[in-house]
Amino acid sequence: MMQTFTNQSPIIIAHRGASGYRPEHTLASYELAIDLGADYIEPDLVMTKDGILIARHENEISETTDIVDHVEFAHLKTTKIIDSEIKTGWFTEDFTIAQIKTLTAKEPIPKIRPQNAIYNGMFTIPTFTEIIDLVKDKSEKIGRNIGIYPETKHPSYFQEIGLPLEAALLLNLQDIDLPIFIQSFEVSNLKELSQKTDLPLVQLINDIGKPYDFVIDNDQRTYRDLLTPKGLKEIAEYAEAIGVHKNLLIPRDIPGKLLSPTSLIIDAHAANLQVHAWTFRNEDFFLPLELQGNPQKEYEIFFNLGVNGVFTDYPDLAIKQKYSQLNQK
Ligand code: G3P
Ligand code: CA
């Protein structure tokens, strides 16, 4: 039934924390995810002007913080090109950690998650150090090792502006006796990391587009080109897993219904790569058409397919389904 490549049950990765229940990337979101039973918590990492790693999905922070209400920072509003996209707002690399600490987090999708908007203004923006301390503390109190699954966001961009993420990341993770996966949508920084650390690496693959370092290097390959048997073999030289958009495993038709699975899971396992799929969410807005109102069924389908892990905004439901399937064995 849940025949996975590692012969272990799939890991439950709390995507941006329990982000279905609390504003994403806050200590409250991570702590709740741990209390709900998640195996790993997933911080996306960007950097401040003074070189501190903090958890935000983007370095532009107007959607996820109350920066717009801080008149003292109005002069720092600007327009930049980040990975070929024009963005206007406030950017973490223009702020010191002391300035960032005066901000609070807000729910980025309040129309879909009004239940989270009530927490707007209650939580600060966590540093990676604070997140690690939380996970260590909770692991000790609960008596189980909780994993950390950090993502380097816009690594080439941060490298270009003189604030590389990787050295700070490895320094933070030094001597940590907890399960770790390090992930990136780019290729070159993972390859470099593989020379510097034995920690397991995850190549993220989107269903459209290409890694931004391929754009810089004028490499014509797209994400989909990385998924051929040859591409997967190359990834296996530096990574333990691929973290894939779930539509690459089971595509959808134009109205949004699930089609037949692709061969990706079989091909990846044949290349010795684990497969972690993203992102699982309860709301109908995100679900396949025929599963609307029944988000648990989506986990059942992907667990039966053999995924080794799922990134979810609602770790409790993923865990419920996982144990329901394990108990049927
Ligand atoms: O990191 C994999 C998963 O989190 C999907 O990416 O955009 O939510 O960081 P994103
Ligand atoms: Ca992520």
Side-chain angles (χ1 to χ4, degrees):
M1 161 103 111
M2 294 171 79
Q3 353 80 334
T4 75
F5 158 73
T6 56
N7 223 9
Q8 288 171 345
S9 62
I11 55 168
I12 308 304
I13 308 150
H15 180 247
R16 314 182 195 177
S19 56
Y21 298 112
R22 296 289 182 276
E24 65 186 42
H25 293 312
T26 56
L27 290 182
S29 177
Y30 299 130
E31 181 164 17
L32 180 58
I34 294 166
D35 290 340
L36 292 174
D39 298 306
Y40 287 76
I41 56 150
E42 194 242 357
D44 294 323
L45 297 176
V46 293
M47 198 172 256
T48 64
K49 186 180 181 173
D50 44 356
I52 304 298
L53 289 173
I54 59 171
R56 288 293 88 192
H57 183 255
E58 287 299 329
N59 55 330
E60 198 288 297
I61 51 175
S62 57
E63 296 301 313
T64 62
T65 72
D66 62 351
I67 186 79
V68 74
D69 302 326
H70 286 250
V71 288
E72 70 279 20
F73 297 137
H75 64 290
L76 292 175
K77 186 175 184 183
T78 187
T79 298
K80 302 192 187 199
I81 299 173
I82 311 293
D83 298 2
S84 310
E85 274 183 49
I86 300 173
K87 299 208 170 177
T88 297
W90 290 263
F91 297 83
T92 59
E93 63 270 23
D94 297 331
F95 290 79
T96 63
I97 186 61
Q99 290 172 322
I100 289 286
K101 280 294 182 184
T102 66
L103 309 177
T104 58
K106 73 173 187 190
E107 171 54 45
I109 47 171
K111 288 206 172 100
I112 295 174
R113 293 185 176 155
Q115 74 276 14
N116 281 5
I118 61 167
Y119 298 102
N120 286 358
M122 288 178 60
F123 310 120
T124 56
I125 313 307
T127 65
F128 190 40
T129 309
E130 289 168 335
I131 295 166
I132 292 170
D133 287 347
L134 171 77
V135 174
K136 279 185 184 165
D137 188 50
K138 296 288 286 187
S139 295
E140 207 174 298
K141 278 194 186 131
I142 295 171
R144 81 181 164 94
N145 276 344
I146 296 130
I148 311 175
Y149 202 127
E151 179 184 346
T152 56
K153 281 289 182 195
H154 310 297
S156 289
Y157 170 77
F158 276 103
Q159 177 87 38
E160 266 167 35
I161 63 168
L163 291 170
L165 306 171
E166 295 79 8
L169 176 66
L170 292 186
L171 196 64
N172 270 279
L173 293 175
Q174 215 174 25
D175 305 325
I176 296 221
D177 198 16
L178 292 171
I180 305 286
F181 280 106
I182 298 175
Q183 43 167 344
S184 178
F185 276 108
E186 294 188 23
V187 173
S188 51
N189 81 318
L190 286 180
K191 284 187 174 171
E192 280 169 32
L193 278 165
S194 73
Q195 304 297 314
K196 294 179 180 156
T197 180
D198 291 331
L199 293 171
L201 306 178
V202 182
Q203 180 66 63
L204 295 175
I205 315 260
N206 205 350
D207 62 339
I208 50 164
K210 61 198 291 183
Y212 181 62
D213 54 322
F214 283 14
V215 177
I216 297 172
D217 296 340
N218 207 17
D219 186 324
Q220 297 307 306
R221 289 175 298 164
T222 66
Y223 280 120
R224 286 188 186 251
D225 293 324
L226 300 181
L227 298 178
T228 60
K230 179 171 174 278
L232 291 168
K233 203 171 153 209
E234 277 177 37
I235 293 173
E237 285 168 16
Y238 61 88
E240 306 278 320
I242 51 172
V244 296
H245 191 300
K246 61 190 181 185
N247 289 0
L248 291 167
L249 296 167
I250 309 182
R252 296 184 192 184
D253 66 12
I254 291 168
K257 279 186 152 178
L258 293 176
L259 294 166
S260 298
T262 66
S263 65
L264 177 56
I265 193 131
I266 294 164
D267 298 343
H269 287 172
N272 223 21
L273 288 163
Q274 293 182 50
V275 178
H276 300 162
W278 44 270
T279 301
F280 290 77
R281 297 171 161 127
N282 285 6
E283 294 89 355
D284 282 350
F285 180 82
F286 300 109
L287 284 167
L289 199 57
E290 72 273 38
L291 300 183
Q292 298 205 340
N294 188 7
Q296 198 170 334
K297 183 78 182 171
E298 192 184 27
Y299 295 107
E300 183 186 335
I301 292 167
F302 280 82
F303 289 156
N304 281 337
L305 191 66
V307 294
N308 307 98
V310 289
F311 290 79
T312 171
D313 291 0
Y314 293 89
D316 49 339
L317 192 63
I319 291 159
K320 185 176 169 195
Q321 179 58 30
K322 172 170 134 171
Y323 285 104
S324 148
Q325 282 179 249
L326 286 172
N327 289 336
Q328 283 168 23
K329 272 188 161 182

